[in-house]
Coordinates of all heavy atoms in Angstrom, one line a residue:
M8 N -6.5 -26.5 -10.2 CA -5.9 -25.6 -11.2 C -6.7 -24.4 -11.4 O -6.2 -23.3 -11.5 CB -5.6 -26.4 -12.4 CG -4.5 -26.1 -13.2 SD -2.9 -25.8 -12.3 CE -1.8 -26.1 -13.5
D9 N -8.1 -24.6 -11.4 CA -8.9 -23.4 -11.7 C -8.8 -22.4 -10.5 O -8.9 -21.2 -10.8 CB -10.4 -23.9 -11.7 CG -10.7 -24.6 -13.1 OD1 -10.0 -24.4 -14.0 OD2 -11.6 -25.4 -13.1
E10 N -8.5 -22.9 -9.3 CA -8.4 -21.9 -8.3 C -7.2 -21.0 -8.4 O -7.2 -19.9 -8.0 CB -8.2 -22.7 -6.9 CG -9.5 -23.4 -6.5 CD -9.3 -24.2 -5.2 OE1 -8.3 -23.9 -4.4 OE2 -10.1 -25.0 -4.9
L11 N -6.1 -21.5 -9.0 CA -5.0 -20.7 -9.2 C -5.2 -19.6 -10.3 O -4.5 -18.6 -10.3 CB -3.8 -21.6 -9.6 CG -3.3 -22.6 -8.6 CD1 -2.2 -23.5 -9.2 CD2 -2.8 -21.9 -7.4
S12 N -6.1 -19.8 -11.2 CA -6.3 -18.8 -12.3 C -7.4 -17.7 -11.9 O -7.6 -16.8 -12.5 CB -6.8 -19.5 -13.5 OG -8.1 -20.1 -13.4
Q13 N -8.0 -18.0 -10.7 CA -9.0 -17.0 -10.2 C -8.3 -15.9 -9.5 O -7.4 -16.0 -8.8 CB -10.0 -17.7 -9.3 CG -10.8 -18.9 -9.9 CD -11.6 -18.5 -11.1 OE1 -12.2 -17.4 -11.0 NE2 -11.6 -19.2 -12.1
P14 N -8.8 -14.6 -9.8 CA -8.2 -13.5 -9.1 C -8.5 -13.5 -7.6 O -9.5 -14.0 -7.2 CB -8.9 -12.3 -9.8 CG -10.1 -12.8 -10.5 CD -9.9 -14.3 -10.7
T15 N -7.6 -13.0 -6.9 CA -7.7 -13.0 -5.5 C -8.0 -11.6 -5.0 O -7.9 -10.6 -5.7 CB -6.4 -13.5 -4.7 OG1 -5.4 -12.6 -5.2 CG2 -6.1 -14.9 -5.1
K16 N -8.5 -11.5 -3.7 CA -8.7 -10.2 -3.2 C -7.4 -9.4 -3.0 O -6.4 -10.1 -2.7 CB -9.5 -10.3 -1.9 CG -10.9 -10.7 -2.0 CD -11.7 -10.5 -0.7 CE -13.1 -10.6 -1.0 NZ -13.9 -9.9 -0.1
P17 N -7.4 -8.1 -3.0 CA -6.2 -7.4 -2.7 C -5.8 -7.6 -1.3 O -6.6 -7.9 -0.4 CB -6.6 -5.9 -3.0 CG -8.1 -5.9 -3.1 CD -8.5 -7.3 -3.3
I18 N -4.5 -7.4 -1.1 CA -3.9 -7.6 0.3 C -4.6 -6.6 1.3 O -5.0 -7.0 2.4 CB -2.4 -7.4 0.3 CG1 -1.8 -8.5 -0.5 CG2 -1.9 -7.4 1.7 CD1 -0.3 -8.2 -0.8
I19 N -4.8 -5.4 0.9 CA -5.5 -4.4 1.7 C -6.8 -4.2 1.1 O -6.9 -3.7 0.0 CB -4.7 -3.1 1.8 CG1 -3.3 -3.3 2.5 CG2 -5.5 -2.0 2.6 CD1 -2.4 -2.1 2.5
P20 N -7.9 -4.4 1.9 CA -9.2 -4.2 1.3 C -9.5 -2.7 1.2 O -9.0 -1.9 1.9 CB -10.1 -4.8 2.4 CG -9.4 -4.8 3.6 CD -7.9 -4.9 3.2
S21 N -10.3 -2.4 0.1 CA -10.6 -1.0 0.0 C -11.6 -0.7 1.1 O -12.3 -1.6 1.6 CB -11.2 -0.7 -1.4 OG -12.5 -1.3 -1.4
P22 N -11.8 0.6 1.4 CA -12.7 1.0 2.4 C -14.1 0.7 2.1 O -15.0 0.6 3.0 CB -12.5 2.5 2.5 CG -11.1 2.8 2.0 CD -10.9 1.7 1.0
T23 N -14.4 0.4 0.8 CA -15.8 0.1 0.4 C -16.1 -1.4 0.6 O -17.2 -1.8 0.4 CB -16.1 0.5 -1.0 OG1 -15.2 -0.1 -1.9 CG2 -15.9 2.0 -1.2
E24 N -15.1 -2.2 0.9 CA -15.3 -3.7 1.0 C -15.5 -4.0 2.5 O -14.6 -4.6 3.1 CB -14.1 -4.4 0.4 CG -14.1 -4.3 -1.0 CD -13.0 -5.1 -1.7 OE1 -12.4 -5.9 -0.9 OE2 -12.6 -4.8 -2.8
G25 N -16.6 -3.7 3.1 CA -16.8 -4.0 4.5 C -16.2 -3.2 5.5 O -16.2 -3.4 6.7
Y26 N -15.6 -2.1 5.1 CA -14.9 -1.1 6.0 C -15.5 0.3 5.7 O -14.8 1.3 5.7 CB -13.5 -1.1 5.7 CG -12.8 -2.4 6.0 CD1 -12.6 -3.5 5.1 CD2 -12.3 -2.7 7.4 CE1 -12.0 -4.7 5.4 CE2 -11.7 -3.9 7.7 CZ -11.6 -4.8 6.7 OH -11.0 -6.0 7.1
S27 N -16.8 0.4 5.4 CA -17.4 1.6 5.1 C -17.3 2.7 6.2 O -17.4 3.9 5.9 CB -18.8 1.4 4.7 OG -19.5 0.8 5.7
D28 N -17.1 2.3 7.4 CA -16.9 3.2 8.5 C -15.5 3.8 8.6 O -15.2 4.8 9.3 CB -17.2 2.6 9.9 CG -18.6 2.2 10.0 OD1 -19.5 2.7 9.3 OD2 -18.9 1.3 10.8
Y29 N -14.6 3.4 7.7 CA -13.2 3.8 7.7 C -12.9 4.5 6.4 O -13.5 4.1 5.4 CB -12.3 2.6 8.0 CG -12.6 1.9 9.2 CD1 -13.2 0.7 9.3 CD2 -12.1 2.4 10.5 CE1 -13.5 0.0 10.4 CE2 -12.3 1.7 11.6 CZ -13.1 0.5 11.6 OH -13.3 -0.1 12.7
S30 N -11.9 5.3 6.4 CA -11.4 5.9 5.2 C -9.9 5.9 5.2 O -9.3 5.7 6.3 CB -12.0 7.3 4.9 OG -11.6 8.1 6.0
L31 N -9.3 6.0 4.1 CA -7.8 6.0 4.0 C -7.4 7.2 4.8 O -7.9 8.3 4.8 CB -7.3 6.2 2.6 CG -7.6 5.0 1.7 CD1 -7.1 5.2 0.3 CD2 -7.0 3.7 2.2
P32 N -6.3 7.1 5.6 CA -5.3 6.1 5.6 C -5.5 4.9 6.6 O -4.5 4.3 7.1 CB -4.1 6.9 5.9 CG -4.5 7.9 6.9 CD -5.9 8.3 6.4
W33 N -6.7 4.7 7.1 CA -7.0 3.6 8.0 C -6.3 2.4 7.6 O -6.4 2.0 6.4 CB -8.6 3.5 8.1 CG -8.9 2.3 9.0 CD1 -9.0 2.5 10.3 CD2 -9.0 1.0 8.7 NE1 -9.3 1.3 11.0 CE2 -9.3 0.3 10.0 CE3 -9.0 0.2 7.5 CZ2 -9.6 -1.0 10.0 CZ3 -9.2 -1.2 7.6 CH2 -9.5 -1.8 8.9
P34 N -5.7 1.6 8.4 CA -5.6 1.8 9.9 C -4.4 2.5 10.3 O -4.1 2.5 11.5 CB -5.5 0.3 10.3 CG -4.7 -0.4 9.2 CD -5.2 0.3 7.9
W35 N -3.7 3.1 9.4 CA -2.4 3.9 9.8 C -2.8 5.4 10.0 O -3.8 5.9 9.5 CB -1.4 3.8 8.7 CG -0.9 2.3 8.6 CD1 -0.1 1.7 9.5 CD2 -1.4 1.3 7.7 NE1 0.1 0.3 9.2 CE2 -0.7 0.1 8.1 CE3 -2.2 1.3 6.6 CZ2 -0.9 -1.1 7.4 CZ3 -2.4 0.1 5.9 CH2 -1.8 -1.0 6.3
P36 N -2.0 6.1 10.7 CA -2.2 7.4 11.2 C -2.3 8.5 10.1 O -2.8 9.6 10.2 CB -1.2 7.8 12.3 CG -0.1 6.8 12.0 CD -0.7 5.6 11.4
N37 N -1.6 8.2 9.0 CA -1.5 9.3 7.9 C -1.3 8.5 6.5 O -0.9 7.4 6.5 CB -0.5 10.3 8.2 CG 0.9 9.8 8.4 OD1 1.5 9.2 7.5 ND2 1.4 10.0 9.6
I38 N -1.5 9.3 5.5 CA -1.4 8.8 4.1 C 0.0 8.4 3.7 O 0.3 7.5 3.0 CB -2.0 9.7 3.1 CG1 -2.4 9.0 1.8 CG2 -1.2 11.0 2.8 CD1 -3.5 8.0 1.9
S39 N 1.0 9.1 4.4 CA 2.4 8.8 4.0 C 2.8 7.3 4.5 O 3.4 6.6 3.8 CB 3.4 9.9 4.7 OG 3.0 11.1 4.2
I40 N 2.4 7.0 5.7 CA 2.7 5.7 6.2 C 1.9 4.7 5.5 O 2.3 3.6 5.2 CB 2.4 5.6 7.7 CG1 3.4 6.6 8.6 CG2 2.4 4.2 8.3 CD1 3.1 6.7 10.0
W41 N 0.6 5.0 5.2 CA -0.3 4.1 4.4 C 0.4 3.7 3.0 O 0.5 2.5 2.7 CB -1.6 4.7 4.2 CG -2.6 3.8 3.5 CD1 -3.5 2.9 4.1 CD2 -2.8 3.6 2.1 NE1 -4.2 2.2 3.1 CE2 -3.8 2.7 1.9 CE3 -2.3 4.3 0.9 CZ2 -4.2 2.3 0.6 CZ3 -2.7 3.9 -0.3 CH2 -3.7 2.9 -0.4
C42 N 0.9 4.7 2.3 CA 1.6 4.5 1.1 C 2.9 3.6 1.2 O 3.1 2.7 0.4 CB 2.0 5.8 0.4 SG 0.6 6.8 -0.2
L43 N 3.6 3.9 2.2 CA 4.9 3.2 2.5 C 4.5 1.7 2.8 O 5.2 0.8 2.3 CB 5.7 3.9 3.6 CG 7.1 3.3 3.8 CD1 7.9 3.5 2.5 CD2 7.8 4.0 4.9
I44 N 3.6 1.5 3.7 CA 3.3 0.1 4.1 C 2.7 -0.7 2.9 O 3.0 -1.8 2.7 CB 2.3 0.1 5.2 CG1 2.9 0.7 6.5 CG2 1.7 -1.3 5.5 CD1 4.1 0.0 7.1
L45 N 1.8 0.0 2.1 CA 1.3 -0.6 1.0 C 2.3 -1.1 0.0 O 2.3 -2.3 -0.5 CB 0.3 0.4 0.3 CG -0.4 -0.2 -1.0 CD1 -1.4 -1.4 -0.6 CD2 -1.2 0.8 -1.7
W46 N 3.4 -0.2 -0.2 CA 4.4 -0.6 -1.1 C 5.2 -1.8 -0.5 O 5.6 -2.7 -1.3 CB 5.4 0.6 -1.3 CG 6.6 0.2 -2.1 CD1 6.7 0.2 -3.4 CD2 7.9 -0.1 -1.6 NE1 7.9 -0.2 -3.8 CE2 8.7 -0.4 -2.7 CE3 8.4 -0.3 -0.3 CZ2 10.0 -0.8 -2.6 CZ3 9.8 -0.7 -0.2 CH2 10.6 -0.9 -1.4
K47 N 5.4 -1.8 0.8 CA 6.2 -2.9 1.4 C 5.5 -4.2 1.3 O 6.2 -5.2 1.0 CB 6.4 -2.5 2.9 CG 6.8 -3.6 3.8 CD 8.3 -3.6 4.0 CE 8.7 -4.7 5.0 NZ 8.7 -6.0 4.6
I48 N 4.2 -4.3 1.5 CA 3.6 -5.6 1.5 C 3.1 -6.1 0.2 O 2.8 -7.3 0.1 CB 2.3 -5.6 2.5 CG1 1.2 -4.6 2.0 CG2 2.8 -5.2 4.0 CD1 0.0 -4.6 2.8
I49 N 3.2 -5.3 -0.8 CA 2.8 -5.8 -2.1 C 4.1 -6.2 -2.8 O 5.0 -5.4 -2.9 CB 2.0 -4.7 -2.9 CG1 0.6 -4.6 -2.3 CG2 1.8 -5.2 -4.4 CD1 -0.3 -3.5 -2.9
G50 N 4.1 -7.4 -3.4 CA 5.2 -7.8 -4.2 C 6.1 -8.7 -3.3 O 5.8 -9.2 -2.3
A51 N 7.3 -8.9 -3.8 CA 8.3 -9.8 -3.2 C 8.8 -9.2 -1.8 O 8.7 -8.1 -1.6 CB 9.5 -10.0 -4.2
T52 N 9.3 -10.2 -1.1 CA 9.9 -9.7 0.2 C 11.3 -9.0 0.0 O 11.7 -8.3 0.8 CB 10.0 -10.9 1.2 OG1 10.8 -11.9 0.6 CG2 8.7 -11.5 1.6
L53 N 11.9 -9.4 -1.1 CA 13.2 -8.7 -1.5 C 12.8 -7.8 -2.6 O 12.3 -8.3 -3.6 CB 14.2 -9.7 -1.8 CG 14.7 -10.7 -0.7 CD1 15.7 -11.7 -1.3 CD2 15.4 -9.9 0.3
K54 N 13.1 -6.6 -2.5 CA 12.8 -5.6 -3.5 C 13.9 -5.4 -4.5 O 15.1 -5.3 -4.2 CB 12.4 -4.3 -2.8 CG 11.3 -4.3 -1.8 CD 10.0 -4.6 -2.6 CE 8.8 -4.6 -1.6 NZ 7.6 -4.8 -2.3
S55 N 13.5 -5.4 -5.8 CA 14.5 -5.2 -6.8 C 14.7 -3.7 -7.1 O 14.1 -2.8 -6.5 CB 13.8 -5.8 -8.1 OG 12.7 -5.0 -8.5
N56 N 15.7 -3.4 -8.0 CA 16.0 -2.0 -8.3 C 14.8 -1.4 -8.9 O 14.6 -0.2 -8.6 CB 17.2 -2.0 -9.3 CG 18.5 -2.4 -8.7 OD1 18.6 -2.4 -7.4 ND2 19.5 -2.7 -9.5
S57 N 14.0 -2.0 -9.7 CA 12.9 -1.4 -10.4 C 11.8 -1.1 -9.2 O 11.1 -0.2 -9.4 CB 12.3 -2.3 -11.5 OG 11.9 -3.6 -11.0
E58 N 11.7 -2.0 -8.3 CA 10.7 -1.7 -7.2 C 11.2 -0.5 -6.3 O 10.3 0.2 -5.9 CB 10.6 -3.0 -6.3 CG 9.8 -4.1 -7.0 CD 9.7 -5.3 -6.3 OE1 10.8 -5.9 -5.9 OE2 8.6 -5.8 -6.0
V59 N 12.5 -0.3 -6.1 CA 12.9 0.8 -5.4 C 12.6 2.0 -6.3 O 12.2 3.1 -5.7 CB 14.4 0.7 -5.1 CG1 15.0 2.0 -4.5 CG2 14.7 -0.5 -4.1
T60 N 12.8 2.0 -7.6 CA 12.4 3.1 -8.4 C 11.0 3.4 -8.3 O 10.6 4.6 -8.3 CB 12.9 2.8 -9.9 OG1 14.3 2.6 -9.9 CG2 12.5 3.9 -10.8
Q61 N 10.2 2.3 -8.3 CA 8.8 2.5 -8.2 C 8.4 3.2 -6.9 O 7.5 4.0 -6.8 CB 8.0 1.1 -8.2 CG 6.6 1.2 -8.0 CD 6.0 -0.2 -8.0 OE1 6.6 -1.2 -8.1 NE2 4.7 -0.2 -8.0
L62 N 9.1 2.8 -5.8 CA 8.9 3.5 -4.5 C 9.1 4.9 -4.6 O 8.3 5.8 -4.1 CB 9.8 2.9 -3.4 CG 9.9 3.5 -2.1 CD1 8.6 3.5 -1.4 CD2 11.0 3.0 -1.3
V63 N 10.2 5.4 -5.2 CA 10.5 6.8 -5.3 C 9.4 7.5 -6.1 O 8.9 8.5 -5.7 CB 11.8 7.0 -6.0 CG1 12.1 8.4 -6.4 CG2 13.0 6.5 -5.1
H64 N 9.0 6.9 -7.3 CA 8.0 7.6 -8.1 C 6.6 7.5 -7.6 O 5.9 8.5 -7.8 CB 8.1 7.0 -9.6 CG 9.4 7.4 -10.2 ND1 9.8 8.6 -10.6 CD2 10.5 6.6 -10.5 CE1 11.0 8.6 -11.2 NE2 11.5 7.4 -11.1
E65 N 6.2 6.3 -7.1 CA 4.8 6.2 -6.7 C 4.5 6.4 -5.3 O 3.3 6.3 -4.9 CB 4.4 4.8 -7.1 CG 4.4 4.6 -8.7 CD 4.0 3.2 -9.2 OE1 3.4 2.4 -8.3 OE2 4.2 2.9 -10.3
V66 N 5.5 6.5 -4.5 CA 5.3 6.8 -3.0 C 5.9 8.1 -2.6 O 5.3 9.0 -2.1 CB 5.7 5.6 -2.2 CG1 5.6 5.9 -0.7 CG2 5.0 4.3 -2.5
L67 N 7.2 8.1 -2.7 CA 8.0 9.3 -2.1 C 7.7 10.6 -2.8 O 7.7 11.6 -2.2 CB 9.4 9.0 -2.0 CG 9.9 7.7 -1.3 CD1 11.3 7.5 -1.3 CD2 9.4 7.8 0.2
Q68 N 7.4 10.6 -4.1 CA 7.2 11.8 -4.8 C 5.7 12.1 -5.1 O 5.4 13.1 -5.7 CB 7.9 11.7 -6.2 CG 9.4 11.7 -6.1 CD 10.1 11.6 -7.4 OE1 9.5 11.2 -8.5 NE2 11.4 12.0 -7.5
V69 N 4.9 11.3 -4.4 CA 3.4 11.6 -4.5 C 3.2 12.9 -3.7 O 3.7 13.1 -2.6 CB 2.6 10.5 -3.9 CG1 1.1 10.8 -3.8 CG2 2.8 9.2 -4.8
P70 N 2.3 13.8 -4.2 CA 2.1 15.1 -3.6 C 1.7 15.0 -2.1 O 2.0 15.8 -1.3 CB 1.1 15.8 -4.4 CG 1.2 15.2 -5.8 CD 1.7 13.8 -5.5
D71 N 0.9 14.0 -1.8 CA 0.4 13.8 -0.4 C 1.4 13.2 0.6 O 1.2 13.2 1.7 CB -0.8 12.9 -0.4 CG -2.0 13.6 -1.0 OD1 -2.0 14.8 -1.1 OD2 -3.0 12.9 -1.5
F72 N 2.6 12.7 0.0 CA 3.5 12.1 0.9 C 4.3 13.2 1.6 O 4.8 14.1 1.1 CB 4.5 11.2 0.1 CG 5.4 10.3 1.0 CD1 4.9 9.1 1.4 CD2 6.6 10.8 1.3 CE1 5.7 8.4 2.2 CE2 7.5 10.0 2.1 CZ 7.0 8.8 2.6
N73 N 4.4 13.0 2.9 CA 5.0 14.0 3.8 C 6.0 13.2 4.7 O 5.6 12.5 5.7 CB 3.9 14.7 4.6 CG 4.5 15.8 5.4 OD1 5.6 16.3 5.2 ND2 3.7 16.3 6.4
T74 N 7.3 13.4 4.4 CA 8.4 12.6 5.2 C 8.2 12.8 6.6 O 8.4 11.8 7.4 CB 9.7 13.1 4.7 OG1 9.8 12.9 3.3 CG2 10.8 12.3 5.3
P75 N 8.0 14.0 7.2 CA 7.8 14.1 8.7 C 6.8 13.2 9.3 O 6.8 13.0 10.5 CB 7.6 15.6 8.9 CG 8.2 16.3 7.7 CD 7.9 15.3 6.6
D76 N 5.8 12.8 8.5 CA 4.8 11.9 9.0 C 5.4 10.5 9.5 O 4.8 9.9 10.3 CB 3.7 11.6 7.9 CG 2.7 12.8 7.7 OD1 2.7 13.6 8.6 OD2 2.0 12.7 6.7
L77 N 6.5 10.2 9.0 CA 7.2 8.9 9.3 C 7.8 8.9 10.7 O 8.2 7.9 11.2 CB 8.1 8.5 8.3 CG 7.5 8.4 6.8 CD1 8.6 8.1 5.9 CD2 6.5 7.4 6.8
S78 N 8.0 10.1 11.3 CA 8.7 10.1 12.6 C 7.7 10.1 13.7 O 6.6 10.2 13.6 CB 9.6 11.3 12.7 OG 8.9 12.5 12.4

């Protein structure tokens, strides 16, 4: 039971956790894809309406997000 209450490591390690030779958006080619993939892998496999709203506000409307980067 104690193991369940312990915090776990994030799904994507920060560049300072053993990846000091890399910087964001590693391993993806640009920050737009990095933001989109991060949103996809965090949370449930089925996204709720609030998660879609979160996608719009926290990914698609971020100043560094560039839609042409996705093509």
